[in-house]
Amino acid sequence: MTIRKQRLALLLAVILAVGMPSFADEVAGILFLGAMGVNPDSIPVSREECIDIALSQSPTIRIADLEVKRVNYSKKETVGNLLPTMGFSLSYQRSIELQTIRMNMGGQSQKLKMGSDNTWNTGFSLSLPIIAPTLWKAISISDTQIAQNLESARSSRLELVNQVNKAYYALMLALASKDVIKQNYDIAKYTAEVYRKQFEQGTASEYDVLRSEVQVKNIEPSLLDADISVKQCQLSLNVLMGIDDALNLYPTVTMEDMQKDMYGYLLESKSLAGNSSLRSLELQQKMADQNVTLKKFAWIPTLGASFNVNWLSLSNGPMFKDVEFSPYSSLGVSLSVPIFSGGTKWYQLKQAQVQANELALQKENLVNSLNMQVDLALDNINRQAKQIDSSKEGVRQAKKAHDIMLKSFQIGAASYLQLRDSELADTSAQLSYLQSIYNYLVSTSELDLLLGKDSAIQVNSSK
C-alpha cells in the first residue's frame, strides 16, 4: 500500500470516528484521534485527498452509479425478450345451463343439450421469437444507453472534482486573507498600545491614542468577516465531500506554495475528445441514428414459434367427480407481415430522421462554441499569470514603501496617517496577490473540466 493510500485510509477513519452520531462513539473517536496524534478541531487534508473522499462519499456520485446499474438491468430485460417464454395455466369452468340445439330426427324436432357440467383445462405453453428485427436493434440501443449513462456518471465526477477544487482553493484564499488581515490588525493594535504608553508618559497626545484605537476597531469587523468566510468555505468543502459539518478541515499547503508550482500547468492538447457535453451529444446522435434504423425495421416481417401441451377433462355431476384428463398438444409458427398502418410507420421514420439531423447541427454548433471557450480560457489563464507577476511585484513595492515609512515614522519624519496609508496599501497589495493566485487556480480547474481531463477520476477508480 502506498503512502497516499495509507494516509487516505487513516483520514477516512478519522472522519468516521469524529462524525459518529452517538456521544459515546464521538468520545471514542476523539480518543482515537488523540492516540493517532491528530487534533479533531484541525484536520489537515490535501486537495487530492478531498477529491478521493468526495468521489467515494458524495451522494451525487452514488446516484449516478445506481443509474448505470439500472440501465444495465434494462438491457438484460431487453435481451430476455429474445429468449423463450414459458407459462403454466390451470382453469376450471362450471356450466350453469348447458347449450340446447334443435335437430329434426325422423320428422320430429328434438332438443339436445351439449357440453358438460365441469370443464378442467391445464397445460404449458412455450413461445420463441425467431425473426424479431426490432428486438435485435433494441439491444444495440440499450448498449448506447448504457454508454450514455456511464458518460453522465463521468460528467458528474468531473463536475464534482471541479467543485472540490474550487472549494479547496476558496478555503486556501480565506485562510491566507485572514492571516493578512490578522497581521494588519496586530500592527494596528501594537501601534495603539505604543501610543497608549507614550500618552501615559506624556510624549503623545490623547488624539493620537484615540485615532490609533479607532483604527483597531475599524479592522475588527474585517477580521470577523474573515473568520466567517473560513467557516463557510469549510462547510462548503464538507458538503461536497459528504462528511460531517462539524469537522474542520485545513489545507496542507498555502497559496504561496501553490504559486511556486502553478506554472507547471501545461496544456498538451486542445482536443475536445474528453469534453463530457460533446461526448454525451455524440451518444445521443448515435442513439438517434439507431432509432432511424429501428423505425425502418418496423416494415420487416416477424416470425415466431409456439408449442403447447394441455390436458382437458369434461365431466358431469359434482366438481371432482369422474375427473379424467386427456392430453393434447400443438406446434405452430406465426408470420406477421406489416402491409398498411395508415402511414404511421412512415411518419415515425421521418420524425426520427429529423431528430437525427437536429442533433448533427447541435453537435456542429457545440464544437464551435467549445473551441471558442477553450481559446478564451487559455487567454484568461495567460492574463492571470501575468497578473500574478504584476501583483507579486506590487507586494514587493508596497512592503518596501511600508518599511521606509515605518522608519520615517519612528524618527518623526512621517505622520501616523502616512504610516497607516502605507499599511493599508501593503494589505491591499497582499490581498490582490492572493486573489490573483486563486483566480489562476480556478481558471485551470475550469479548463480541465472543459477539456474533460479525468486523471483524478482514473486515480480514484484504480484503488
Side-chain angles (χ1 to χ4, degrees):
M1 182 179 291
T2 63
I3 296 178
R4 179 181 176 184
K5 290 183 178 180
Q6 290 176 348
R7 174 172 169 78
L8 181 60
L10 174 60
L11 185 61
L12 285 172
V14 168
I15 291 173
L16 291 175
V18 177
M20 290 178 179
S22 68
F23 177 76
D25 289 339
E26 184 176 356
V27 172
I30 294 175
L31 293 176
F32 170 78
L33 296 179
M36 299 303 298
V38 178
N39 182 7
D41 293 331
S42 177
I43 302 176
V45 59
S46 67
R47 181 177 61 88
E48 292 78 9
E49 290 168 342
C50 290
I51 293 175
D52 291 337
I53 295 173
L55 291 176
S56 61
Q57 300 293 324
S58 174
T60 303
I61 302 303
R62 294 180 182 178
I63 292 173
D65 291 339
L66 288 175
E67 184 64 17
V68 172
K69 184 180 294 185
R70 184 193 65 81
V71 177
N72 274 316
Y73 289 142
S74 177
K75 178 190 175 182
K76 293 179 181 179
E77 176 188 0
T78 304
V79 174
N81 291 328
L82 295 176
L83 302 178
T85 58
M86 178 181 289
F88 171 78
S89 62
L90 173 63
S91 64
Y92 168 77
Q93 180 177 333
R94 176 73 180 185
S95 298
I96 299 176
E97 183 68 29
L98 297 179
Q99 294 180 350
T100 302
I101 62 173
R102 294 178 181 272
M103 297 183 65
N104 291 323
M105 299 180 62
Q108 297 180 354
S109 177
Q110 297 183 358
K111 296 180 180 181
L112 297 177
K113 291 185 178 292
M114 298 185 61
S116 57
D117 295 336
N118 304 304
T119 303
W120 292 87
N121 195 354
T122 184
F124 296 90
S125 62
L126 179 68
S127 62
L128 173 66
I130 299 176
I131 299 177
T134 55
L135 288 178
W136 299 340
K137 196 61 183 178
I139 294 177
S140 62
I141 294 178
S142 297
D143 290 333
T144 306
Q145 182 64 47
I146 291 175
Q148 188 171 9
N149 281 77
L150 288 172
E151 182 58 35
S152 178
R154 174 178 173 271
S155 177
S156 298
R157 285 175 165 81
L158 289 172
E159 181 62 34
L160 180 60
V161 169
N162 181 49
Q163 292 178 358
V164 171
N165 282 339
K166 293 194 292 186
Y168 192 85
Y169 297 148
L171 179 57
M172 293 173 57
L173 175 63
L175 289 171
S177 299
K178 177 183 175 181
D179 291 339
V180 172
I181 297 174
K182 182 65 167 57
Q183 180 183 4
N184 189 19
Y185 176 78
D186 291 339
I187 293 175
K189 190 174 181 180
Y190 173 77
T191 304
E193 291 176 354
V194 171
Y195 270 120
R196 170 64 63 179
K197 293 180 180 179
Q198 290 178 352
F199 173 73
E200 293 174 354
Q201 296 176 359
T203 58
S205 66
E206 184 178 5
Y207 173 76
D208 293 332
V209 174
L210 294 175
R211 183 174 55 184
S212 60
E213 290 180 349
V214 167
Q215 293 297 333
V216 174
K217 296 298 181 181
N218 290 337
I219 301 176
E220 287 179 353
S222 299
L223 191 60
L224 180 60
D225 290 341
D227 287 330
I228 295 175
S229 178
V230 170
K231 187 60 179 178
Q232 290 177 342
C233 292
Q234 289 174 332
L235 290 175
S236 298
L237 187 59
N238 289 356
V239 170
L240 291 173
M241 294 171 61
I243 62 177
D244 193 276
D245 294 343
L247 296 176
N248 294 326
L249 304 182
Y250 285 88
T252 56
V253 294
T254 64
M255 296 293 282
E256 288 77 9
D257 295 332
M258 296 295 294
Q259 192 273 333
K260 295 176 183 177
D261 301 328
M262 66 171 48
Y263 296 109
Y265 179 87
L266 297 175
L267 182 62
E268 298 177 355
S269 173
K270 292 170 58 177
S271 172
L272 297 173
N275 181 268
S276 185
S277 298
L278 181 59
R279 291 173 60 163
S280 179
L281 188 58
E282 288 175 345
L283 289 171
Q284 292 179 29
Q285 185 179 11
K286 182 178 179 181
M287 286 187 63
D289 294 336
Q290 291 173 335
N291 191 38
V292 171
T293 305
L294 181 64
K295 299 303 181 184
K296 293 179 179 178
F297 282 178
W299 277 287
I300 300 178
T302 59
L303 181 66
S306 62
F307 176 71
N308 296 279
V309 178
N310 295 277
W311 289 266
L312 179 66
S313 174
L314 303 174
S315 63
N316 293 315
M319 179 177 178
F320 295 103
K321 182 181 179 180
D322 299 331
V323 177
E324 182 178 352
F325 288 96
S326 299
Y328 69 96
S329 60
S330 64
L331 176 64
V333 178
S334 62
L335 176 66
S336 177
V337 181
I339 297 177
F340 180 72
S341 59
T344 57
K345 293 184 175 64
W346 172 258
Y347 291 116
Q348 288 175 357
L349 173 61
K350 289 301 181 182
Q351 292 179 54
Q353 290 173 337
V354 170
Q355 185 180 19
N357 293 334
E358 288 177 353
L359 291 173
L361 293 175
Q362 291 179 17
K363 177 184 175 182
E364 181 180 353
N365 183 56
L366 180 61
V367 169
N368 294 333
S369 176
L370 291 175
N371 283 325
M372 179 187 66
Q373 293 179 42
V374 170
D375 292 337
L376 291 176
L378 288 174
D379 291 341
N380 193 35
I381 289 175
N382 293 330
R383 179 180 60 81
Q384 289 168 352
K386 296 178 181 178
Q387 180 64 35
I388 292 174
D389 292 335
S390 176
S391 298
K392 188 175 183 179
E393 177 63 19
V395 170
R396 187 190 67 81
Q397 293 176 348
K399 179 66 175 176
K400 183 176 181 180
H402 176 261
D403 292 340
I404 293 174
M405 189 59 62
L406 178 60
K407 293 180 180 179
S408 300
F409 176 75
Q410 290 173 348
I411 63 176
S415 65
Y416 174 74
L417 290 178
Q418 292 175 320
L419 175 63
R420 188 59 191 163
D421 287 341
S422 67
E423 292 174 354
L424 293 176
D426 185 26
T427 301
S428 178
Q430 293 185 58
L431 293 177
S432 176
Y433 171 62
L434 295 174
Q435 185 67 45
S436 62
I437 297 176
Y438 169 79
N439 292 338
Y440 178 90
L441 294 174
V442 169
S443 296
T444 57
S445 181
E446 291 286 352
L447 182 57
D448 287 343
L449 174 64
L450 185 62
L451 296 177
K453 290 187 177 181
D454 53 1
S455 57
I457 296 176
Q458 294 174 354
V459 170
N460 181 270
S461 61
S462 65
K463 295 182 179 181

